Amino acid sequence: MQPEQLLPFIAETFNQMPFNRVLGLQVTRFDQQQVEVSFPWSAQLVGNPLQQILHGGVIASVLDVAGGMMAVASALERFTDIEQSELIARFGKMSTIDIRTDYLRPGRGERFIASAHVIRSGNKVAVCRMELHNEQNLHIALGTGTYLVG
Amino acid sequence: MQPEQLLPFIAETFNQMPFNRVLGLQVTRFDQQQVEVSFPWSAQLVGNPLQQILHGGVIASVLDVAGGMMAVASALERFTDIEQSELIARFGKMSTIDIRTDYLRPGRGERFIASAHVIRSGNKVAVCRMELHNEQNLHIALGTGTYLVG
Amino acid sequence: MQPEQLLPFIAETFNQMPFNRVLGLQVTRFDQQQVEVSFPWSAQLVGNPLQQILHGGVIASVLDVAGGMMAVASALERFTDIEQSELIARFGKMSTIDIRTDYLRPGRGERFIASAHVIRSGNKVAVCRMELHNEQNLHIALGTGTYLVG
Amino acid sequence: MQPEQLLPFIAETFNQMPFNRVLGLQVTRFDQQQVEVSFPWSAQLVGNPLQQILHGGVIASVLDVAGGMMAVASALERFTDIEQSELIARFGKMSTIDIRTDYLRPGRGERFIASAHVIRSGNKVAVCRMELHNEQNLHIALGTGTYLVG
């Protein structure tokens, strides 16, 4: 695969992950600098039904997905040509080491957008910062994730 | 409500939360010292289908639920008699401030058990530590959560 | 004290804290939006002497100071007139609940500047993000801190 | 160096680090399972002088030292024979990636003991949990640290 094919391939892999489908996630932007993962409000994503807000776990999940995608992108960016089989093998070794999620406001809205960027990029470990906003650009949560990439 | 009714009521509230039902969570133990929240393996909880392991967000979600329940229990423990309506009102003000999740091993197993205990209990903030094991007692993840309780 | 006196008073209090003096910290900027805490390179702040870089604990310390100052500033900002004795009493109840520090690059430089801003401001809890740069604006570390303010 | 010489050598290296000497740290126990780093109360370690408690940065520093020592021990444990020069070279590559510190109680006491154990040990990354107690075994703080070890 050529570099220009890598990102769409990675995005599609994340779109197809079973739990990402449960959450309704869609990768709506993905380049070497930033990623956006979006999902619509859905009744099954609610935590406390009295408050009608997103479950904290939904927020942690989508922040982890956005951070993980940027970590993968930063790790693969040095390859000029890579076999799809090797790409998949490398994927299999990448994983989240730890993640912190900070909840800033109740998760209310019609549509939510998680974004991420890389703040430390190494050949073993990448660190990303992530944010979640709703469709009115209200800042709902942020996160910091450390990823094993090599 | 009398104190002995509080914990079952809280457990049932968490069991009924829409996203907890998506995850298949069941509160299987809950007293003032410890909580256990269990769920079976399910294909829809998978992250990377090649590895067939739990999505990291599933793990973060259940750790947050277990920690949140202990935070609630510690906050409500000083009431000797509380109206159900007031209990619900207090519930509505409790929330996760931040949570750190550490992933130790791939999320493989037939059944998973999240446990939590309180390490700081105040009238405004509670801090809990959480762990996730599978049915063979393999330690999969741990977490630390800070909760607003008052 | 009037509001315009509060920030200089808080800054001086932090400047005089014994351990901040050991670290050589000076509050070099402090308003309602941002704080800067600076310190020069010093041989006694070194961790591993072979590498000649700042000890990780020095970095965590100054990030906590910068975050704590912004948390205090955000909590006191609603007072239009406050007795110095009450201000001191409130100070005594404010504390760091938890802090995460991410180390991005080795701590090398002649002068270091920690900055912070508030990302969640409540009457009980404030959350801040902090950064450490050197005199060449190289980004060395960042942090996220949760503070009890009420 | 033989394995039995490694741990005392590592302990001495940490004892001699300039900032650890400022803090008054002494490695008082160190084997493959656990480490203890102790220090006495000292007026220069105080944060807020009105409260006469340890500065939060002192606590974060000693937790990082204890965690880092266990991470190093876990990484070096597979060597049966290693040149001192190579050991030093490997030391130089080990570093803290991120650390979370939770403050549970005010840092009061005559003597403080930080302990740590490894919860994830890999050839690239180690994760440790750390605790700080005073001489009366009062639990003051805990931490979780992720370390680059390979």
Side-chain angles (χ1 to χ4, degrees):
Chain A
M1 299 185 90
Q2 295 305 311
E4 63 269 24
Q5 297 170 289
L6 278 179
L7 295 180
F9 177 82
I10 294 168
E12 190 54 20
T13 303
F14 275 89
N15 278 336
Q16 296 301 332
M17 287 183 180
F19 190 62
N20 289 350
R21 294 179 68 160
V22 170
L23 296 170
L25 305 190
Q26 279 289 327
V27 178
T28 42
R29 179 181 161 184
F30 191 27
D31 57 48
Q32 293 291 358
Q33 275 66 54
Q34 211 182 354
V35 64
E36 280 185 11
V37 180
S38 305
F39 63 103
W41 171 265
S42 158
Q44 71 166 355
L45 302 182
V46 165
N48 192 325
L50 292 166
Q51 298 185 274
Q52 283 292 306
I53 55 175
L54 290 181
H55 192 290
V58 171
I59 292 170
S61 298
V62 65
L63 291 182
D64 189 19
V65 167
M69 291 186 67
M70 281 317 294
V72 169
S74 80
L76 295 179
E77 117 179 296
R78 59 194 114 98
F79 295 105
T80 50
D81 193 2
I82 185 171
E83 293 289 322
Q84 186 173 330
S85 60
E86 193 191 335
L87 177 65
I88 290 169
R90 282 175 180 278
F91 249 141
K93 293 179 191 161
M94 294 180 187
S95 61
T96 310
I97 299 172
D98 64 63
I99 184 171
R100 173 181 170 123
T101 305
D102 294 270
Y103 298 94
L104 307 181
R105 288 189 186 80
R108 291 196 184 93
E110 294 174 15
R111 188 159 193 82
F112 304 93
I113 304 103
S115 57
H117 64 279
V118 178
I119 55 171
R120 170 181 172 156
S121 175
N123 53 1
K124 290 166 197 152
V125 168
V127 179
C128 296
R129 284 238 155 155
M130 297 82 79
E131 303 196 351
L132 185 74
H133 292 80
N134 69 6
E135 83 283 355
Q136 297 179 331
N137 208 30
L138 212 60
H139 192 177
I140 293 170
L142 49 82
T144 315
T146 301
Y147 298 89
L148 189 65
V149 295
Chain B
M1 298 185 89
Q2 294 306 310
E4 63 269 23
Q5 299 169 289
L6 278 180
L7 296 180
F9 176 82
I10 294 168
E12 190 55 20
T13 304
F14 276 89
N15 278 336
Q16 296 301 333
M17 286 182 181
F19 191 62
N20 289 351
R21 295 179 69 160
V22 170
L23 296 170
L25 305 190
Q26 279 289 328
V27 178
T28 44
R29 178 181 162 185
F30 190 28
D31 57 47
Q32 293 290 358
Q33 273 66 53
Q34 209 180 354
V35 65
E36 280 184 11
V37 180
S38 305
F39 63 102
W41 171 266
S42 158
Q44 72 168 355
L45 303 181
V46 165
N48 192 325
L50 293 166
Q51 298 185 271
Q52 283 292 305
I53 55 175
L54 290 180
H55 192 290
V58 172
I59 293 170
S61 298
V62 65
L63 292 182
D64 189 19
V65 168
M69 291 185 67
M70 282 315 295
V72 170
S74 80
L76 295 179
E77 125 177 287
R78 59 194 115 96
F79 295 105
T80 50
D81 192 4
I82 185 170
E83 293 291 322
Q84 186 172 328
S85 60
E86 192 190 336
L87 178 65
I88 289 168
R90 282 174 181 277
F91 249 141
K93 291 179 193 161
M94 294 182 187
S95 62
T96 310
I97 300 171
D98 64 63
I99 183 170
R100 173 180 169 126
T101 305
D102 293 270
Y103 298 95
L104 306 180
R105 288 188 186 80
R108 292 197 183 91
E110 294 174 15
R111 188 157 192 82
F112 304 93
I113 305 104
S115 56
H117 64 279
V118 177
I119 54 172
R120 170 181 172 155
S121 175
N123 54 1
K124 289 168 199 152
V125 168
V127 179
C128 298
R129 283 237 155 155
M130 299 82 80
E131 303 196 352
L132 186 73
H133 292 81
N134 69 7
E135 82 283 354
Q136 298 180 329
N137 209 30
L138 212 61
H139 193 178
I140 292 170
L142 49 81
T144 315
T146 301
Y147 298 89
L148 190 64
V149 295
Chain C
M1 299 184 92
Q2 294 306 309
E4 63 269 23
Q5 298 170 290
L6 278 181
L7 295 180
F9 177 82
I10 294 167
E12 191 55 20
T13 303
F14 276 89
N15 278 337
Q16 296 300 333
M17 286 183 180
F19 191 62
N20 289 351
R21 295 180 68 160
V22 170
L23 297 170
L25 304 191
Q26 280 289 328
V27 178
T28 43
R29 178 181 162 184
F30 190 29
D31 57 47
Q32 293 291 0
Q33 274 65 54
Q34 209 180 357
V35 64
E36 279 184 11
V37 180
S38 305
F39 64 104
W41 170 264
S42 159
Q44 72 168 356
L45 303 181
V46 165
N48 192 325
L50 294 167
Q51 297 184 275
Q52 283 292 306
I53 55 175
L54 290 180
H55 193 290
V58 172
I59 293 170
S61 298
V62 65
L63 291 182
D64 189 18
V65 168
M69 291 185 67
M70 281 315 295
V72 169
S74 80
L76 295 179
E77 122 178 290
R78 58 196 116 97
F79 296 105
T80 50
D81 193 2
I82 184 171
E83 293 291 320
Q84 186 171 328
S85 60
E86 192 191 336
L87 177 65
I88 290 168
R90 282 172 180 278
F91 248 141
K93 292 179 193 162
M94 294 181 188
S95 62
T96 310
I97 300 171
D98 64 64
I99 183 171
R100 173 180 170 126
T101 306
D102 294 270
Y103 298 96
L104 306 181
R105 288 188 186 81
R108 291 197 183 91
E110 295 174 14
R111 189 158 192 82
F112 303 93
I113 305 103
S115 56
H117 64 278
V118 178
I119 54 172
R120 171 180 170 156
S121 176
N123 54 0
K124 291 167 196 154
V125 168
V127 179
C128 297
R129 283 236 154 155
M130 299 82 80
E131 303 196 351
L132 186 74
H133 292 80
N134 69 6
E135 82 283 355
Q136 297 180 331
N137 209 29
L138 213 60
H139 193 178
I140 292 171
L142 49 82
T144 315
T146 301
Y147 298 89
L148 190 65
V149 295
Chain D
M1 300 184 90
Q2 295 304 311
E4 63 268 24
Q5 297 170 290
L6 278 181
L7 295 180
F9 177 82
I10 293 168
E12 190 55 21
T13 303
F14 275 90
N15 278 336
Q16 295 301 332
M17 286 182 181
F19 191 62
N20 289 351
R21 296 180 67 161
V22 169
L23 297 170
L25 305 190
Q26 279 289 327
V27 179
T28 43
R29 178 182 162 185
F30 190 27
D31 57 47
Q32 293 291 357
Q33 274 67 54
Q34 210 182 356
V35 65
E36 280 185 10
V37 180
S38 305
F39 64 102
W41 170 265
S42 160
Q44 71 168 356
L45 302 182
V46 165
N48 192 326
L50 293 167
Q51 297 185 274
Q52 283 291 305
I53 55 174
L54 291 181
H55 192 289
V58 172
I59 293 170
S61 297
V62 65
L63 291 182
D64 189 18
V65 167
M69 290 185 69
M70 281 316 294
V72 169
S74 79
L76 295 178
E77 134 175 280
R78 59 193 113 99
F79 295 105
T80 52
D81 192 3
I82 185 171
E83 293 290 322
Q84 185 172 329
S85 60
E86 193 191 335
L87 178 65
I88 290 168
R90 282 175 181 277
F91 249 141
K93 291 178 192 161
M94 294 180 188
S95 61
T96 310
I97 299 172
D98 64 63
I99 184 171
R100 173 180 169 126
T101 304
D102 293 277
Y103 298 95
L104 306 180
R105 288 187 186 82
R108 291 196 183 93
E110 295 175 14
R111 189 158 192 81
F112 304 93
I113 305 103
S115 56
H117 63 279
V118 178
I119 54 171
R120 170 181 172 156
S121 175
N123 54 0
K124 290 166 198 153
V125 168
V127 179
C128 297
R129 283 239 156 153
M130 296 83 80
E131 301 195 353
L132 186 74
H133 292 80
N134 69 5
E135 82 284 354
Q136 298 179 330
N137 208 30
L138 212 61
H139 193 178
I140 293 170
L142 49 81
T144 315
T146 301
Y147 298 89
L148 189 65
V149 294

